[in-house]
C-alpha cells in the first residue's frame, strides 16, 4: 500500500482556553492537490503551521512523507516547501537575488543555484523582471515569486496557504495553471483556501474544517452530489415573505428551504417537478416569487449546508486559529 504524503491522526491544538484544532484526522495521497477548506478562524493556518513544524500540536500525531513533524522536524523541513498567506520575499532584492538567496539557505549545491533560479524565473513568467527589485513587482508577480521561492529546493511536497489572496482574476488564473503544472510533474500540494471556486477548480479531495473540527472529507464532486445536483433559488422580495414561503413549502411539500435574506435555496435531485409544485403552491397563497433561478449545486451550497454559514465570516480569530 502506498504511503500517505501526509498522515494526520487526532490532531489538536489549544491556545489557552481557545481550541484551535479539535482531533483532526485525514490523509493526503502522493501526487494530488488536497484542499483544506474553511472560513477565517476555522483552523486552516494552524494545521499548516503544525505540518511545517512551526507549531507543536497539543495532542495527536502528524507525519509528513513518513516523518513525525515533532520528533523529526529537521528532516521534514528539508522535504517541504511553504508559501504562506503573505509574500516572504525581500522587497529590496531582485527576483533573481531572492531565489539565489533561498538556494543558499536551503543548502542547494552551489553549481545548481544559478540555473535553478533562472529556470524558475522563466517557468513563473518572471524572467523579464528578474533583475528588478521586488518592491516594483505587482501583487501577482510577488505571489508567483513567493511560490517559486518555495520550490527552489525541489520539494516533493508543497504547502500553499491562501495562495491567491489579494490577486486579481487574471493573476489568480495564472497561478492556478502553475499549480496544475506542478502536480503534473509529481509534486503533492496541500492548499488552504476559503475560496470555494478555487477548491473546486484545483483540489482532487477536500477536507472541510469549521471551528477547528473536521466536518467533511471527500471529492468536490461527491460533496456536491451528496447535497443534490440542482439548486432552486427563489427571491421573495423581503425576508418576511421568505420566512412565510419557507414555512409553507415545508408544511405542504415536506421540503426544507434555506433562508438567506429575501432568498430561499432548495437543493434537490431533480428541479423540474419540485419547482412546478412550489410555484403552484406559492401562487395559490399569494406568495409568487420575484425571481426564480435553477442552477447546478456548488461547493458554496455544500459549505452552507454543512456549517449553516458561508466561508466569509469576518476576521480571523485571535490566538492563531486562521
Amino acid at each position: 500500500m502506498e504511503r500517505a504524503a501526509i498522515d494526520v491522526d487526532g490532531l489538536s491544538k489549544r491556545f489557552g482556553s481557545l481550541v484551535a484544532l479539535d482531533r483532526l484526522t485525514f490523509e493526503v495521497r502522493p501526487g494530488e492537490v488536497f484542499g483544506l477548506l474553511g472560513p477565517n478562524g476555522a483552523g486552516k493556518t494552524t494545521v499548516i503551521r503544525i505540518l511545517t513544524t512551526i507549531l507543536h500540536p497539543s495532542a495527536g500525531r502528524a507525519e509528513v512523507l513518513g516523518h513525525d513533524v515533532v520528533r523529526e522536524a529537521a528532516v521534514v523541513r528539508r522535504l517541504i516547501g511553504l508559501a504562506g498567506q503573505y509574500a516572504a520575499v525581500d522587497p529590496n532584492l531582485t527576483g533573481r537575488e531572492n531565489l539565489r538567496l533561498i538556494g543558499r539557505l536551503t543548502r542547494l549545491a552551489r553549481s545548481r543555484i544559478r540555473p535553478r533560479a533562472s529556470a524558475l524565473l522563466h517557468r513563473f513568467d518572471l524572467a523579464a523582471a528578474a533583475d528588478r527589485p521586488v518592491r516594483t513587482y505587482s501583487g501577482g508577480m510577488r505571489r508567483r515569486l513567493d511560490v517559486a521561492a518555495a520550490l527552489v529546493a525541489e520539494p516533493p511536497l508543497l504547502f500553499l496557504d491562501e495562495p491567491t489572496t489579494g490577486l486579481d482574476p487574471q493573476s489568480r488564473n495564472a497561478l492556478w495553471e502553475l499549480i496544475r503544472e506542478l502536480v503534473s510533474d509529481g509534486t503533492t500540494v496541500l492548499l488552504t483556501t476559503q475560496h470555494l471556486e478555487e477548491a473546486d477548480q484545483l483540489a482532487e479531495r477536500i477536507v472541510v474544517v469549521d471551528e477547528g473540527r473536521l466536518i467533511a472529507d471527500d471529492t468536490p464532486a461527491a460533496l456536491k452530489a451528496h447535497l443534490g445536483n440542482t439548486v432552486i433559488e427563489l427571491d421573495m422580495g423581503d425576508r418576511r415573505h421568505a420566512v412565510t414561503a419557507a414555512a409553507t413549502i415545508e408544511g405542504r411539500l415536506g421540503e426544507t428551504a434555506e433562508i438567506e435574506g429575501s432568498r430561499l435555496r432548495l437543493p434537490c435531485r431533480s428541479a423540474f417537478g419540485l419547482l412546478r409544485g412550489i410555484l403552484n403552491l406559492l401562487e395559490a397563497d399569494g406568495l409568487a416569487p420575484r425571481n426564480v433561478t435553477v442552477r447546478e449545486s456548488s461547493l458554496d451550497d455544500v459549505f452552507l449546508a454543512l456549517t449553516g454559514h458561508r466561508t466569509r465570516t469576518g476576521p480571523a480569530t485571535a490566538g492563531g486559529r486562521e
Side-chain angles (χ1 to χ4, degrees):
M1 184 176 178
E2 189 176 31
R3 184 182 66 187
I6 299 173
D7 184 6
V8 171
D9 184 15
L11 198 64
S12 297
K13 182 63 181 179
R14 299 182 68 95
F15 296 95
S17 61
L18 174 67
V19 179
L21 299 178
D22 188 5
R23 295 166 291 179
L24 293 187
T25 297
F26 62 86
E27 286 188 355
V28 178
R29 295 188 289 263
E32 72 175 350
V33 179
F34 184 89
L36 188 59
L37 178 65
N40 283 339
K44 305 185 302 297
T45 296
T46 302
V47 172
I48 292 289
R49 289 172 177 168
I50 290 173
L51 294 178
T52 57
T53 77
I54 297 169
L55 286 176
H56 282 189
S58 302
R61 175 186 60 83
E63 290 185 356
V64 170
L65 299 171
H67 300 280
D68 187 274
V69 297
V70 176
R71 292 184 288 102
E72 301 174 274
V75 178
V76 170
R77 291 181 197 127
R78 290 196 294 269
L79 295 172
I80 63 173
L82 168 64
Q85 290 186 23
Y86 307 102
V89 291
D90 188 326
N92 295 313
L93 298 179
T94 67
R96 192 185 308 276
E97 289 169 341
N98 266 286
L99 297 188
R100 289 178 179 176
L101 175 61
I102 295 295
R104 291 194 293 272
L105 291 174
T106 57
R107 299 181 180 178
L108 199 65
R110 292 182 65 87
S111 61
R112 294 183 57 206
I113 291 176
R114 287 175 179 268
R116 180 64 177 159
S118 295
L120 287 168
L121 288 165
H122 278 90
R123 181 167 193 176
F124 283 78
D125 196 23
L126 293 168
D131 298 309
R132 282 169 36 197
V134 171
R135 65 175 179 271
T136 68
Y137 285 17
S138 68
M141 293 169 69
R142 288 191 187 206
R143 205 67 182 112
R144 295 202 304 274
L145 182 64
D146 202 37
V147 176
L151 293 169
V152 168
E154 300 182 84
L157 176 59
L158 178 63
F159 292 93
L160 298 176
D161 193 11
E162 306 269 2
T164 58
T165 297
L167 296 188
D168 60 77
Q170 183 176 355
S171 298
R172 179 195 61 188
N173 290 337
L175 188 53
W176 284 358
E177 189 56 39
L178 286 168
I179 293 169
R180 293 187 185 102
E181 290 176 8
L182 292 173
V183 174
S184 69
D185 289 344
T187 303
T188 302
V189 175
L190 189 151
L191 166 82
T192 77
T193 183
Q194 58 177 313
H195 296 286
L196 295 143
E197 181 188 5
E198 186 161 81
D200 208 2
Q201 285 282 336
L202 295 175
E204 297 163 60
R205 284 198 307 125
I206 292 173
V207 157
V208 181
V209 179
D210 191 37
E211 297 183 346
R213 298 181 181 89
L214 188 150
I215 58 175
D217 180 355
D218 216 325
T219 66
L223 288 171
K224 289 186 288 186
H226 179 73
L227 177 71
N229 299 322
T230 309
V231 175
I232 298 171
E233 291 187 336
L234 308 171
D235 184 355
M236 303 305 300
D238 61 47
R239 183 172 178 82
R240 180 172 57 85
H241 287 152
V243 171
T244 302
T248 300
I249 291 169
E250 183 165 10
R252 304 272 288 278
L253 299 178
E255 297 286 343
T256 301
E258 300 158 357
I259 303 172
E260 184 179 13
S262 66
R263 302 182 71 85
L264 300 182
R265 184 180 295 102
L266 293 95
C268 57
R269 299 291 174 186
S270 177
F272 180 73
L274 178 60
L275 178 59
R276 183 171 57 185
I278 288 172
L279 293 178
N280 288 339
L281 175 65
L282 294 182
E283 287 178 6
D285 284 6
L287 290 168
R290 289 187 177 181
N291 188 46
V292 177
T293 303
V294 178
R295 59 173 175 79
E296 291 185 359
S297 62
S298 69
L299 283 181
D300 202 5
D301 301 309
V302 173
F303 195 88
L304 184 61
L306 289 170
T307 68
H309 58 79
R310 296 187 179 276
T311 54
R312 296 183 176 277
T313 56
T317 305
R321 191 174 77 189
E322 297 175 20

